[in-house]
Structure formats: structure tokens, C-alpha cells
Amino acid sequence: MQRLNISEEKNLFIGRLIRFHLRPHLLAKEDPSDNALRRFIRELGKDLMPLFTIAKADLTSHNPGRVQTAKERLDSLEARVKEINKKDKLTSFKLALDGYAIMETLAVPEEE
């Protein structure tokens, strides 16, 4: 990578894609729990969707049925990951004000 003058940031990104390129295939076969997928999402972060692109490009076989089955599994896994991501973003919504800020603004004393 240094010889090709690729930046350190892109070098790390490419390395992560190479390191994890088989993980989506394994997860697609195992039908993992939502918690396992959350760990997978946290571990890969913003590199998750490019990893699915690499995983789909990795599909090769002389048997078209096998390729189609693997693609369907990956698509299903990707949809589950997106759904979990969307659901978790909604549940991690944080209010701009909490009770203490309201009490302070309205000068309400704390009860002891």
C-alpha cells in the first residue's frame, strides 16, 4: 500500500475489508441472533455496507443456483442489519432536556 501511495486511512479501511470479507457469508448461513448482529454492526461501524458490497462481489460458482441462494442470504442479512440499525437509532434517541434542566429552569427545588 505504501508503494502505491495509498493513504493510511484508506490502508486501514482496505485491511478491515480484507480481514472481515468472509464474515457476512458465515453470518448469512448461521441465521444469527439480533444481539450477534448488533456486535457485528458495532465492530465494523461505517465499514459495514462496503463489506456487504465486497461479500456480494465474492460470490463465484459454476452453479448458478448456489450463487443465487448465497445472494438471497446476503440480501436477507443486509436487510436485517439495516432494520436493527434503524430500530436501535430510534431507541437511542436522547432528549435535549432532562428533568433536572427543567427543574433548574423553573426553579423547582429537589426533594430530599
Side-chain angles (χ1 to χ4, degrees), residues 74-91:
L74 283 174
D75 288 340
S76 173
L77 181 67
E78 186 176 7
R80 277 187 67 200
V81 164
K82 286 179 180 178
E83 179 183 321
I84 288 170
N85 231 352
K86 183 178 177 184
K87 195 182 333 177
D88 286 354
K89 283 183 181 175
L90 289 177
T91 59

Side-chain angles (χ1 to χ4, degrees), residues 1 8-26 40 42-45 47 50-51 54-55 58:
M1 296 288 198
E8 184 66 25
E9 181 183 337
K10 287 187 180 181
N11 187 4
L12 292 173
F13 171 71
I14 293 167
R16 284 175 57 83
L17 290 181
I18 291 169
R19 186 176 327 117
F20 293 110
H21 80 282
L22 288 178
R23 179 85 62 89
H25 295 288
L26 296 173
F40 178 58
R42 266 194 315 271
E43 190 173 10
L44 283 152
D47 299 337
L51 184 66
I54 295 290
D58 243 354

Side-chain angles (χ1 to χ4, degrees), residues 1-105:
M1 296 288 198
Q2 289 174 344
R3 191 174 48 123
L4 297 172
N5 292 327
I6 294 177
S7 70
E8 184 66 25
E9 181 183 337
K10 287 187 180 181
N11 187 4
L12 292 173
F13 171 71
I14 293 167
R16 284 175 57 83
L17 290 181
I18 291 169
R19 186 176 327 117
F20 293 110
H21 80 282
L22 288 178
R23 179 85 62 89
H25 295 288
L26 296 173
L27 287 172
K29 286 181 183 178
E30 294 174 356
D31 190 32
S33 67
D34 286 354
N35 285 335
L37 288 178
R38 282 185 184 94
R39 283 190 301 272
F40 178 58
I41 292 167
R42 266 194 315 271
E43 190 173 10
L44 283 152
K46 63 181 172 53
D47 299 337
L48 187 61
M49 289 306 139
L51 184 66
F52 275 106
T53 303
I54 295 290
K56 289 175 186 176
D58 243 354
L59 294 175
T60 58
S61 176
H62 291 291
N63 183 342
R66 178 179 273 171
V67 170
Q68 184 61 31
T69 302
K71 185 181 179 320
E72 288 170 2
R73 284 182 183 162
L74 283 174
D75 288 340
S76 173
L77 181 67
E78 186 176 7
R80 277 187 67 200
V81 164
K82 286 179 180 178
E83 179 183 321
I84 288 170
N85 231 352
K86 183 178 177 184
K87 195 182 333 177
D88 286 354
K89 283 183 181 175
L90 289 177
T91 59
S92 67
F93 176 74
K94 188 173 181 178
L95 296 173
L97 291 174
D98 63 3
Y100 292 108
I102 294 170
M103 288 172 62
E104 184 180 321
T105 302

